[in-house]
Amino acid sequence: MTTQPHTPHRVPPLARVGAPFVLLLLASVAMAAGSVDEGIDYRVVADPARAEAGDDVEVLELFWYGCPHCYQLEPHIDRWLEEKPAGVTFRRMPAAASPRWVPHAKAYFAAEQIGALDQLHLPLFKALHDQRRKIFTEEQIIAFAAEQGIDEDAFRAAYNSFPVDMQVRKSADLVRRYNIDGVPAIVVNGKYVTSASQTGSNDRMFQVIDHLVAREGGDDGQARPAQAAPAASAGAS
């Protein structure tokens, strides 16, 4: 079943009133024509850069735990991963797009650092959106992690560690580099940005992702990736 178009969770303060409607209208025209078009289904990154180095084509999801559309995208991602093209690496990156989003970004990176991401990722989404729990501050997040059986001291140490701080800075840098104004957003090989609000639906978005992956060589392993973005400096703001 084709999912209904939706408006992404906007990155403050870059929301543009009326823009999602125009994008959806243009996307419907493109779908009717059966084409994948730059400026409608996706846009090109002016200064391409991957999140990580590698030979595979990189498909990167930028998300925020507080975004309901990001939560709703999870099962679609899982289905796509079951049949994703060869030569493709999928990565998630929490978007450190505003101060309010940073605690959740740190939570993701901290859990990843100590090998507890599976214990945190979906449970945090479910707690925020199904149970309507308020889990936004550092202490609320650490307490929630402990509820999931994650070692509280190890998680707290990772949450406040230099490596996690650097990952958050890198995320913020990529959000700016990719000119992300809403989540969830998908970046293919550091070069192309697409989203369901651009394409008109989640199903169509994954068709566009596959098209861009094929363009980058993912189907035959002949990827032509952009270079990985350098880590943000410790003095970056």
Side-chain angles (χ1 to χ4, degrees):
M1 180 181 295
T2 301
T3 49
Q4 294 299 312
H6 62 251
T7 302
H9 199 102
R10 291 292 169 185
V11 175
L14 300 179
R16 297 181 178 91
V17 176
F21 173 78
V22 174
L23 287 171
L24 291 175
L25 181 61
L26 292 173
S28 66
V29 173
M31 282 189 286
S35 61
V36 174
D37 297 317
E38 179 183 340
I40 298 176
D41 297 301
Y42 69 93
R43 59 179 173 79
V44 177
V45 176
D47 185 18
R50 291 163 53 104
E52 302 291 340
D55 294 328
D56 283 359
V57 175
E58 179 183 73
V59 175
L60 179 73
E61 181 206 11
L62 287 159
F63 73 97
W64 175 46
Y65 281 115
C67 165
H69 299 306
C70 298
Y71 178 36
Q72 292 161 11
L73 187 61
E74 285 291 306
H76 296 273
I77 290 174
D78 290 341
R79 285 194 293 271
W80 180 78
L81 286 174
E82 291 175 359
E83 299 180 355
K84 74 175 176 65
V88 175
T89 294
F90 174 76
R91 295 186 172 95
R92 288 182 173 91
M93 177 173 281
S98 77
R100 186 171 181 236
W101 294 19
V102 166
H104 284 160
K106 293 180 70 173
Y108 180 94
F109 291 128
E112 184 177 52
Q113 180 174 300
I114 64 173
L117 193 54
D118 286 346
Q119 292 173 263
L120 181 87
H121 184 64
L122 277 179
L124 182 53
F125 263 135
K126 291 177 179 178
L128 288 164
H129 301 290
D130 293 343
Q131 302 167 19
R132 303 293 184 183
R133 293 182 60 180
K134 295 186 182 299
I135 309 171
F136 295 98
T137 68
E138 176 178 345
E139 291 305 319
Q140 289 170 343
I141 290 168
I142 291 173
F144 178 79
E147 286 178 27
Q148 310 314 305
I150 298 172
D151 183 275
E152 182 174 345
D153 291 337
F155 184 80
R156 185 185 296 274
Y159 187 96
N160 290 298
S161 69
F162 179 76
V164 164
D165 181 64
M166 291 301 293
Q167 287 177 298
V168 169
R169 291 172 185 271
K170 182 175 181 177
S171 170
D173 178 68
L174 287 174
V175 166
R176 289 189 293 268
R177 188 186 290 254
Y178 297 148
N179 194 26
I180 300 298
D181 65 355
V183 291
I186 304 293
V187 184
V188 177
N189 230 21
K191 297 179 180 180
Y192 313 105
V193 178
T194 188
S195 64
S197 65
Q198 290 173 270
T199 63
S201 72
N202 285 324
D203 290 344
R204 169 69 176 172
M205 179 182 72
F206 284 103
Q207 293 173 9
V208 172
I209 291 168
D210 287 341
H211 172 87
L212 295 172
V213 164
R215 174 183 295 182
E216 287 296 293
D219 287 327
D220 58 12
Q222 301 300 312
R224 299 179 298 279
Q227 295 297 309
S233 65
S237 58

